[in-house]
Amino acid sequence: MPYVVEEAFHPSHFGQLPPEVNELIKRKSYKKGSNIIFQGDPAKNFYYVHNGKVKATIVRPDGTEKVFAFSESGQFFADVPFFQQSNHWYTVVAIELTTVSEFSKDDMETIIRIHPEFVFSLMQSISQKVWMLSNQMMTLTFDPTEVRLARIIVEILNRKPEGIQSLSITHQELSSILGTSRVMVTKILNDWRVRGIVDLRKGALSINDLQALKQITAFNLE
């Protein structure tokens, strides 16, 4: 069971696009704050991030907004609704200068003919993402808030280059991803700070004891 959860909550980067695929796909750059996808639009494209970072948010009928995912270099986004041939159920915004490759249906038909091995790798990436989301639903149902917060932080760290143990993220952003109040997130982080697990700065979080954080994520998995 611990192995399954480790794989599901900490998906690896897809890595660099194969050069032969990279040559077929057009790139686009988006300034910080630019919308890449609008919630409700037909999913005519999906995207690969070369550099930069984007966030996906859902706007509820009452106007409140929830951040539920980030994508950065080496990762795809909007791939699930694209292959479902549905509308986008979220908005995607560049949170810094971001360059992406934009895949269309015609692009994929060409790639399937010429480079079918890439499609298999892409399907593995999507399957891993769906698995991760399924396990997030499971932990949302059964696990304490502290455990869910620890898993989210460790998941984000695992998407960073090896050795990185600090995050540029606010308490509000973490609370949006977690689906709880900012006050609750701040309470947990302050407790971790007292225990020496993290250091807190405005808009940033440094991990002092990653092993202790991972032990928190292992709640009820033995």
Side-chain angles (χ1 to χ4, degrees):
M1 183 66 172
Y3 174 77
V4 171
V5 173
E6 179 76 12
E7 288 293 300
F9 276 93
H10 310 314
S12 60
H13 279 65
F14 181 85
Q16 296 297 315
L17 292 180
E20 58 273 18
V21 172
N22 208 18
E23 293 173 0
L24 295 172
I25 310 302
K26 62 182 178 182
R27 291 194 184 195
K28 288 187 175 182
S29 291
Y30 293 89
K31 295 179 181 179
K32 179 179 178 180
S34 300
N35 284 80
I36 302 173
I37 289 172
F38 289 92
Q39 184 174 327
D41 284 353
K44 296 180 179 179
N45 304 97
F46 70 99
Y47 303 82
Y48 170 88
V49 182
H50 289 280
N51 52 69
K53 188 176 182 181
V54 304
K55 69 176 179 181
T57 64
I58 294 176
V59 179
R60 297 167 176 158
D62 64 2
T64 58
E65 184 179 61
K66 173 174 171 53
V67 179
F68 78 95
F70 293 92
S71 296
E72 52 194 29
S73 299
Q75 296 176 334
F76 291 97
F77 64 91
D79 40 358
V80 174
F82 174 85
F83 285 103
Q84 284 184 322
Q85 297 186 322
S86 63
N87 292 342
H88 293 293
W89 57 82
Y90 47 76
T91 293
V92 177
V93 178
I95 56 178
E96 57 188 60
L97 179 62
T98 301
T99 302
V100 301
S101 280
E102 181 182 84
F103 289 77
S104 67
K105 182 179 179 181
D106 289 343
D107 293 330
M108 286 308 300
E109 288 175 351
T110 300
I111 292 170
I112 288 170
R113 290 197 310 270
I114 302 175
H115 305 292
E117 71 286 349
F118 169 77
V119 180
F120 180 74
S121 298
L122 178 60
M123 291 302 102
Q124 286 181 312
S125 176
I126 294 174
S127 297
Q128 196 173 43
K129 184 180 299 182
V130 172
W131 190 5
M132 181 189 72
L133 291 173
S134 297
N135 276 272
Q136 285 176 336
M137 287 299 297
M138 182 174 66
T139 193
L140 182 64
T141 303
F142 296 109
D143 292 335
T145 304
E146 181 185 34
V147 175
R148 293 192 286 122
L149 179 59
R151 286 182 179 159
I152 285 170
I153 293 171
V154 172
E155 176 190 332
I156 295 172
L157 283 173
N158 274 268
R159 297 184 182 187
K160 300 286 186 183
E162 187 175 353
I164 297 294
Q165 293 198 15
S166 61
L167 301 175
S168 296
I169 194 166
T170 66
H171 295 194
Q172 185 61 56
E173 287 173 330
L174 285 170
S175 68
S176 295
I177 298 171
L178 194 60
T180 190
S181 69
R182 183 186 60 79
V183 172
M184 176 61 74
V185 168
T186 299
K187 181 177 181 296
I188 294 169
L189 291 176
N190 281 334
D191 178 62
W192 290 351
R193 178 180 55 79
V194 171
R195 292 159 61 187
I197 298 173
V198 302
D199 276 334
L200 305 176
R201 300 189 307 277
K202 185 175 181 179
L205 174 68
S206 297
I207 312 304
N208 297 330
D209 192 341
L210 183 58
Q211 188 56 42
L213 200 62
K214 288 182 176 180
Q215 287 176 351
I216 295 172
T217 72
F219 171 83
N220 210 25
L221 299 180
E222 300 297 333

